[in-house]
Structure formats: C-alpha cells, structure tokens
Amino acid sequence: MIKQIKIEIKNSINQIEFKFVFAAILFVSLMSIILNCYHDYGQNILYIKSYIDNSMYVSIKARAIVNIFEYLSPLLVMIIYSSNKWKEEKNGMQAMVITRISKKDYYLSKFIANFIIVFSVVLFSGLVNLLITYIVYPTVGFDNRWGIPVYDLIQRYDKKILFDFLRIQYPLLYILSKNILTSLFLATISNIPYALSFIKPFKNMEFIQIAIMTFIGMAIISIIGIIFNMNWLNYISYMGIDVDVSLFSVCMSILLLNVVEIFILIKGMKKYESIH
C-alpha cells in the first residue's frame, strides 16, 4: 500500500486543485509578513515585536487576512485531493486500478495520502512564515501583543489557555506546536467529505455538495460550542490565539475524528460500488 500512497501523492501534486490551494495558503502566509512589515516600517524599535509575536497565527497586525484563512480553511483544504475519488469514478480509472490492487488498499491509500498532503502543505506554509519572520524581526521583541513589559509576561500565564506555558517559557516551541496542531486538525478535517461519501445518504452526491454541507455543519457546531462555552467544538479554537481550551480535549477531538473517519471508510468500502 505504501507504493500506492506514493502514487496518490504524486497524482495530487499534478492536479490543478493542489496547486491552487497550495498557492492560496502560501499567499496568506506571505501576505501576513508583508502586512507586518508595512505596519512596522519606520516605527521606533521600542514598538517592534519579536518574530514569535509577528508569526502567522499570532500576529495582531495580520489578523485580517489570517482570520479569513482560518474561517475558510476547512472548505479550502477539502478540495486539495479529496475530490480525486469522484474524478476517478467518472473517468473509469477506479475500475482499472482496483483490478491491480485490493479495494481496501485503494481507498485507504487515498485517505492517507490526502492526510499527508494537507498536513505538509499547511505546515510548510507556517514554517516558511516563521523562517522569514525570524530573519526580518528580532528574537527578543521590545513590544508584544499584550502591550506589557517582557519581564511582566509571566504574570499573564493562564493554565486554561492552550500552550500558554510554552508561550512564556519556550516561545519557539510554542509557535511550532501551534503550526503542528493546526496542520493536524486541517488534515483531519480534509478527509470528512471523503469518508462521508461511503455512507448511503451521501453516495449519490457530488464532492462539492458534501464539502459545502460539511463546512456548514462545522459552522453550526462551532456556534453551538460558543453558546455553551465548549471551545473544543469551535474549529477556530484549533488555530486561534489565547483560546480557553485544554490540550487533552483538542488531541482527543482530532484522534476521535480520525478514528470515526477510518471506521466509516473501512465499513463503507466493503459494500461500496461506484455509482458514476
């Protein structure tokens, strides 16, 4: 199956959807740097924040464009490669491949490949942003997003805030952890339409229909989470800053989503037949 996963990843890179989404996410990453530099150009050094405070998921000055990315990211990552299954069913490629490998390997390889692709694209964009901000901005800033002296930051510690201890003690590890968490979450979300397509009510639907329904469903669940103060239900919590949510609930949510998706996939593929 490893060989098939490599083939799926290679196929993804050659698709227009991958190039478009990769360019879009990288554009957000680079634009956040440009916005930071635009606002900081000519500023007194006393008002220049550190590279950590100017990174993509933390910067206040770039929140406008990053917020747009965060709200639309589930829909964006779903189209990177999940739609490939529908394409291969329509053009007959699915039937040809399944004659060479088992149906289980064929469908699981697409699931794994999509996860790897989305995780890599999101993480790469975040790391590029971090590297450039590290070059442009000082390691120790003379200002921060809280507007308080650096020596007083420790008094702002809140154990309820995700990664808040790392933010104070190990800033670099803090921003790396946020990048990895965001990548894992979006990679998990990207496979939801693919998994749902194996459930009977969704079999006759096109990819874009399931993707939009999934996005709307996530938005509704997020609103419910906000109303009842259950931040782990709000998908923005997995990417935002100063979020009151525990690492345990975040990790369990990601793990549970992946387990449910794989369960639906394995159970559904046994009786699944192409309907296109």
Side-chain angles (χ1 to χ4, degrees):
M1 187 168 69
I2 294 178
K3 182 179 180 181
Q4 185 60 28
I5 292 173
K6 292 180 179 178
I7 293 173
E8 296 290 351
I9 292 175
K10 184 178 179 181
N11 289 341
S12 168
I13 295 174
N14 292 326
Q15 289 193 357
I16 187 65
E17 291 91 343
F18 170 85
K19 296 174 182 177
F20 170 77
V21 175
F22 179 51
I25 296 177
L26 192 60
F27 172 78
V28 172
S29 174
L30 297 177
M31 274 302 299
S32 69
I33 299 171
I34 294 173
L35 286 173
N36 286 332
C37 292
Y38 174 78
H39 285 286
D40 289 334
Y41 181 76
Q43 286 278 11
N44 189 302
I45 189 67
L46 294 175
Y47 300 101
I48 300 298
K49 295 176 173 59
S50 70
Y51 76 98
I52 294 296
D53 284 327
N54 279 293
S55 58
M56 179 177 175
Y57 297 109
V58 178
S59 173
I60 292 296
K61 295 184 290 291
R63 287 316 296 172
I65 190 169
V66 175
N67 276 341
I68 294 174
F69 165 72
E70 289 176 349
Y71 285 118
L72 297 180
S73 57
L75 188 59
L76 197 62
V77 297
M78 287 176 197
I79 68 175
I80 288 185
Y81 193 59
S82 289
S83 61
N84 180 259
K85 169 180 171 288
W86 282 262
K87 289 182 179 180
E88 292 191 354
E89 287 179 350
K90 287 182 176 181
N91 62 25
M93 183 63 70
Q94 179 203 62
M96 293 176 60
V97 176
I98 291 180
T99 59
R100 295 188 292 107
I101 63 174
S102 69
K103 182 185 291 187
K104 179 181 178 181
D105 287 350
Y106 173 74
Y107 288 124
L108 277 177
S109 64
K110 287 187 177 297
F111 180 91
I112 297 171
N114 187 58
F115 187 95
I116 293 173
I117 291 162
V118 175
F119 177 83
S120 301
V121 167
V122 178
L123 183 61
F124 175 78
S125 299
L127 293 180
V128 167
N129 177 274
L130 183 60
L131 176 61
I132 297 177
T133 53
Y134 176 78
I135 295 172
V136 174
Y137 286 95
T139 303
V140 178
F142 296 91
D143 191 13
N144 53 74
R145 67 178 182 274
W146 295 274
I148 59 177
V150 175
Y151 62 80
D152 199 33
L153 281 176
I154 193 169
Q155 297 186 40
R156 299 276 296 182
Y157 170 68
D158 187 346
K159 64 181 180 180
K160 295 180 181 180
I161 302 299
L162 184 64
F163 296 139
D164 209 41
F165 178 77
L166 294 180
R167 171 185 65 81
I168 296 171
Q169 296 293 335
Y170 309 101
L172 179 58
L173 185 57
Y174 164 72
I175 199 61
L176 288 175
S177 298
K178 286 195 67 65
N179 274 287
I180 292 172
L181 179 65
T182 299
S183 303
L184 283 172
F185 176 69
L186 292 180
T188 300
I189 292 301
S190 68
N191 269 319
I192 292 180
Y194 180 70
L196 289 177
S197 68
F198 289 87
I199 300 178
K200 189 174 181 180
F202 298 95
K203 282 184 179 180
N204 294 319
M205 292 186 181
E206 293 293 330
F207 161 75
I208 191 62
Q209 293 175 305
I210 302 178
I212 292 175
M213 288 178 62
T214 301
F215 180 65
I216 294 174
M218 288 181 62
I220 294 173
I221 292 173
S222 294
I223 293 173
I224 293 173
I226 294 172
I227 293 173
F228 293 97
N229 198 28
M230 301 169 66
N231 287 329
W232 57 273
L233 287 176
N234 181 7
Y235 71 86
I236 299 299
S237 298
Y238 296 78
M239 296 172 277
I241 57 174
D242 302 336
V243 180
D244 183 1
V245 61
S246 69
L247 179 60
F248 175 78
S249 63
V250 167
C251 291
M252 286 303 297
S253 298
I254 293 175
L255 179 62
L256 183 61
L257 268 174
N258 277 294
V259 170
V260 171
E261 288 171 4
I262 293 173
F263 175 78
I264 293 173
L265 179 62
I266 293 176
K267 186 176 180 181
M269 73 171 67
K270 294 178 181 178
K271 299 180 180 179
Y272 183 81
E273 297 293 340
S274 174
I275 47 79
H276 294 287

